[in-house]
Amino acid sequence: MNSSELARRAGVTVRALRHYHQVGVLDEPPRSSNGYRQYGVHHLIRVLRIRRLSALGIALEDMPRLLDEHGAEAPAVLDRLDAELAAQIDRLTAQRALIAQLRHLPTTPDLPPELAAYMGTLAGHLSPELEQMDRDQTVLLAHLVGEEGMPHLVGYYEQLSDPALVPQIVAITADFHGLGDETSEAAFDDFVERFVATFAQVVDSLRTDAPDLDLSDAAGLFDEYSESVLNATQQRALALVGERLDGSADDAEAREPA
């Protein structure tokens, strides 16, 4: 029989037969005078055995030991396969649990689930542009702090979700969105003062007992992001706010007893 007939009888594709030849699990038969491969019943049996093992999830590279050594390696291969499947089931179970959790959160599933509940607090209160910026920065920050820093970050977002603070955050972010070339210096200075007053306590709390993390790339990444989405006035405001908050932290440390 030719390759097409063998593939039809075995319930595979001709492409699969070629792949079996390439990986060495199926020997290539001699070619007839017309240049076509000619397969026999033993090839069909071999392919049927390959299909059976493949259906169990056994990798092609493991098959020669099972097919050619009369199953002597079967226990070890099956034990390893069973362990891999058990681990896969655990991963899928955890993934389903996470999906069930995300269904009940008031935000998009691309956010870390630990933070999604708190992110939903401001949903609908911000402009679409600011909501997108908030999500983007949250995804980036969560990645940078990693699993080690996530509990501390959750505490920070929990503070920002305080019902007493939310109206102030909404007002501050709305004013921030309105900063631009036409903003007067008086309005600009007033915004910076209100921003620092609103967030100073939360930022100080974030710095307290903060884990020792390598965030050497964080500043550059956030600067690059800000430059891509903010106007010059907004960037200047954030830079000044950062300096003021850093200065407040330095003053607090200087006041601490030695």
Side-chain angles (χ1 to χ4, degrees), residues 47-244:
V47 174
L48 292 175
R49 295 174 69 194
I50 291 171
R51 278 197 62 193
R52 173 64 62 181
L53 295 177
S54 181
L56 292 174
I58 295 174
L60 287 176
E61 58 265 25
D62 289 328
M63 290 185 188
R65 289 183 291 170
L66 299 177
L67 295 168
D68 301 329
E69 298 178 16
H70 307 290
E73 294 290 326
V77 172
L78 292 175
D79 286 345
R80 185 171 71 252
L81 177 61
D82 184 61
E84 292 173 355
L85 290 174
Q88 184 177 359
I89 290 172
D90 290 341
R91 288 194 298 272
L92 292 174
T93 300
Q95 187 175 1
R96 289 195 67 199
L98 179 58
I99 290 173
Q101 179 185 356
L102 290 172
R103 280 198 180 110
H104 301 288
L105 294 175
T107 188
T108 56
D110 55 325
L111 291 171
E114 300 92 337
L115 303 177
Y118 306 113
M119 291 292 296
T121 303
L122 297 177
H125 295 290
L126 306 179
S127 67
E129 296 83 4
L130 287 178
E131 282 194 6
Q132 182 63 54
M133 182 178 174
D134 204 20
R135 285 196 299 271
D136 289 347
Q137 292 185 329
T138 297
V139 169
L140 181 58
L141 185 57
H143 172 70
L144 291 172
V145 303
E147 292 184 5
E148 181 182 358
M150 182 58 72
H152 193 72
L153 189 60
V154 168
Y156 172 64
Y157 274 84
E158 186 176 15
Q159 291 185 61
L160 292 179
S161 302
D162 186 338
L165 190 59
V166 168
Q168 300 178 55
I169 295 176
V170 172
I172 286 289
T173 51
D175 291 344
F176 178 76
H177 187 58
L179 292 178
D181 293 338
E182 298 180 357
T183 302
S184 68
E185 282 301 310
F188 179 87
D189 293 340
D190 178 68
F191 169 81
V192 171
E193 291 296 333
R194 287 186 294 112
F195 193 107
V196 172
T198 301
F199 290 97
Q201 184 175 352
V202 177
V203 171
D204 287 343
S205 176
L206 175 65
R207 288 168 172 154
T208 302
D209 300 324
D212 186 16
L213 303 173
D214 181 13
L215 298 178
S216 55
D217 292 337
L221 290 172
F222 277 98
D223 286 345
E224 179 183 347
Y225 180 83
S226 296
E227 291 172 2
S228 69
V229 297
L230 301 179
N231 62 48
T233 305
Q234 291 169 330
Q235 293 178 48
R236 184 162 67 95
L238 285 186
L240 185 55
V241 163
E243 292 175 3
R244 290 282 302 277

Side-chain angles (χ1 to χ4, degrees), residues 1 6 9-10 17 20-21 25-30 38-51 67-68:
M1 68 187 91
L6 173 61
R9 289 177 179 271
L17 293 179
Y20 297 159
H21 292 319
V25 74
L26 178 66
D27 291 336
E28 292 191 37
Q38 291 298 310
Y39 297 90
V41 65
H42 291 286
H43 293 103
L44 174 60
I45 293 172
R46 179 82 170 190
V47 174
L48 292 175
R49 295 174 69 194
I50 291 171
R51 278 197 62 193
L67 295 168
D68 301 329

Side-chain angles (χ1 to χ4, degrees), residues 19-37:
H19 184 57
Y20 297 159
H21 292 319
Q22 290 173 356
V23 299
V25 74
L26 178 66
D27 291 336
E28 292 191 37
R31 295 179 182 270
S32 62
S33 58
N34 60 11
Y36 291 99
R37 295 188 180 97

